[in-house]
Each structure stands twice: as structure tokens, then as C-alpha cells.
Amino acid sequence: MKDENGREYSDYDIDKLIEEYSDINRKPEPQHISQPPQERKKFVVHIDESLIDEPQKEQPKPQSGGIYFSNYQKHRTSTNNAGGSVPVRNDRRTTSPSGGRQTNAKRAKGQKINKVKNGIERVGGKAAVGFLAFILISTILLSYIGITCIGDMLAINRSEDNVVVEIPAESSYSEIIDILQDNGLIKRKLFCKMFTKFRGFDDETYLSGQYYLNGKMGVEGMLKDIMAAPVSAESISLSFPEGWTASQILEKIEKYDVCDSSKVLTVMRTGKYNYDFINDIKDNNKRYLKLEGYLFPDTYDFYVDADPNYVINKFLDNFEAKWEDEYDNRAAELGFTRDEIITIASIIQKEAANSDQMKVISSVIHNRLKHSADYPTLGCDSTALYVSNYVTPVVGEAQGEIYYNAYDTGAIKGLPPGPICNPGMDAIRAALYPSDTDYYFFAHDKAGTIYTASTYKEHKNNLVKIIKANSSTD
């Protein structure tokens, strides 16, 4: 066998070629060889023409207790470009106004709107609850404030326990109300200020001093107690003689309904007053009353049912008006304080039978004080009698004995702890300007005649004369 080039093949060569050709055909086809395209099948829609014009039947209702799902679909046709009818399925999805189906974006937007609406409803509900809670709390708070304001005004639900209140000098009604709140007597000071200002309390003058107040008085009652002039128009005129003690003065004040004597006495013992002549007095626990000697004897017009501070300030104002600057200079010249001069004057007031004897008795006291080494005691009976007659009945025997030992000038050296009465101007002047004598003793008979002596021997002779004089008058 020859090929196209004229080469001759043997039978062996021919068999070999056939074998190789057969191996090649048995190899698998490469993966990248594409398959021939398949023929597309045409989609044919079969329409039941009886359903096109047939009206929709009423869907069956679910039986009681059951659940019914309908998969009935209404068909309608549309005309294609070729003039044929093409069925269009109207599914359960809603269509847009333009007739097209609602897209996923529109459905998401609708869901967001629903969420916002639900959120607004929830927020609105919470806001309503919060607003109602605010109204409730505000109502309770305003009610409480209103009740406490009425309580301050009408003294409702207030304690009857007295509270000691210190009112400084020249305090305004507003400052006093601040003090009342600081002491727990009122709760609503702003309301009290507006209320009392409307009532005219801002135009009043108030007295300094120590006051015993309680919430049951109400804000008006407390201010009235501190006012310089009580509201009561009823007044009374009272006269107090020279040489009266504080106990005698307080007894008369209570007798004529000016003030309770125990309240005045308490204020006298514990009160603080804006007077230099009182503040200059040194504290001394052996002294009965700091104000003894300064309740100036005179005639006073008092309001009935007056406040203790109002009463006391009446006396102290009068004393301050009567005391002159030259008296301070004279006291310093003699080497005494004002309080010591008043103490001397109180002894003179009690020892003298009349004003003519005052300067002579004053000279005896001054001479003894100047020569205390030879005459350590004053020996005046009036100082011990002061305690026995006017102090012990008030404080009792035990305390009275303590005061007696402190005031008895027959035993103590020098002056007693304080005045023994409230002297008048004659006694005060006599204490400042004593007669110039060398007397160290004096005594009286029953008629009030005074007997003076420079020595103890002369004094003993005078005592004999006094006994005879008293016997003759019997």
C-alpha cells in the first residue's frame, strides 16, 4: 500500500497505524468543548375560556371554629401587541395608584411609617403619664405649702412649748421673721413677710430683748409681743416711789394687769439689753438681779397686757435719759464705776430718812470706803434687810441664805454685789457729791433724827441718846 507521497507500507505498518488510531479515539473529550445548544421549548398557556366572562363566585365562609384560606385568583386579560389576549393574574399584593405592583422599597417605607406611628403613640403615652405625675406632685407640694402657710398665720398644728428668742436692737419686721424661722416658730417666712406687710406690721417699731414665744401665738401674735406699742388701746398710769425694789415694782405691775410678774422677772434675769450701763456690769453669781437699781422710780403709762420687754425698756429708757454725761466723769474722779455709784446711792436711799440727810450719809460711806483698813465694813443694816424682806421670799431660804451672806455689809468688806433698791436722782446726786465730813458713824431714832459721829466712842454715846429718845416717844 502506498501513501500520497508514493511511500509503500507493509502489512505490519498498516496494522500498527490502525492500532494507534484506535487509541486516539478512545481518549476522553476535553472539558472545555461546549455542548451544542439545546432547542428552547415554547411556553404555552392554556386558558379556560369559561372563566374569562364568568362572574366571581362568592367564596365559601369558614365554618365555626375552623380556619379558611382561599387560593382563588381572579384572572383578567390584556391585549398584546398582536391583538391577542394575554391573561394577567391579579394576586393578593396591593398595586400602586399607577396600576403597577408595590415595590420592596415602598413596602419598607410603609413599614418605617408604621414604626414611627407606633413610636409616637408609645412616646405620647409616656409623656401623658409623666405629665399626670407632674400635676399630682405639684398639687401635693402646693397643698403642703398652702397648709404650712395657713399654719403660720392661724397657728394650726403648732407647738405650745416656749422658745427663748433674742431680738437685736433696731431689728426690722423682716429680720425678726427670719429669726422666728431660725428658731422653728414659723415655716414659710416669705409668705409671713408678705402677709404681715399687708397687715401693716412693716411700719411698726420693735423692741430688742429676750422673748418667750411659741408657735401657737401665730406670726401676728409673736410680732405683737415684740412691738414697742401693744395693739391694745387700754393703758394705765402707775407711779413707783424712790427706793422701791424690783420685787415691789413687779408686784404692782401684775396687780394692775400690765404684765405677769414672773415673766418680767425671768426676762430680767436672762435678757440682754442694748444699754451700755447694763452691758458694763460684770457678771456676778452672788448678785440677785443685774437690773436692780436701774428701774428708775417715776410715773409711767403702761399698756394693759404688755410684753415684759416693753415694760422693762420703759424703766431703762427713763434711767438712760436721767443719767448725764457729767455723772460718768464724776464717778471716774471718785474712782468708782457707774454701777458702784448706783449701789452707793441705793444704800443712801434706804438709810436716809429724807433727802436732806443723803449727802451726810454719803460722806460716811465714802469715808469708810477710803479708809477700809480701819473701817473694813460699812455696817449698814439695810443691805441685810434687803435680802431678808425682798429676796428670800422669791428664791427660798437656801438660796436666800447665800445672798444674805453676800449682801450683809455688817460682815463683808466694802460694797455689796449690787444695788439693794432703785434710787432716785437725789440719792444718785448724793452718792456723786457727798458732804465733806469726817464722820464714820451714823444712826437714827424712831422719829428719823440722824446722829453722826467721827469715833466709835461718840457713836456709843449717840446710841444711848437714841434709846432715850425712843423711850420718850413711847
Side-chain angles (χ1 to χ4, degrees), residues 1 9-23:
M1 181 178 180
Y9 290 93
S10 64
D11 293 336
Y12 174 79
D13 294 333
I14 293 172
D15 293 335
K16 186 70 173 175
L17 289 173
I18 293 171
E19 183 179 353
E20 290 178 359
Y21 182 78
S22 299
D23 291 337

Side-chain angles (χ1 to χ4, degrees), residues 70-76 88-96 99-102 107:
S70 174
N71 61 355
Y72 174 80
Q73 296 179 353
K74 182 178 179 181
H75 292 77
R76 58 192 176 91
V88 178
R89 185 166 61 106
N90 186 13
D91 58 15
R92 287 190 297 263
R93 291 178 293 181
T94 59
T95 58
S96 63
R101 295 180 181 177
Q102 187 179 30
R107 286 198 302 274

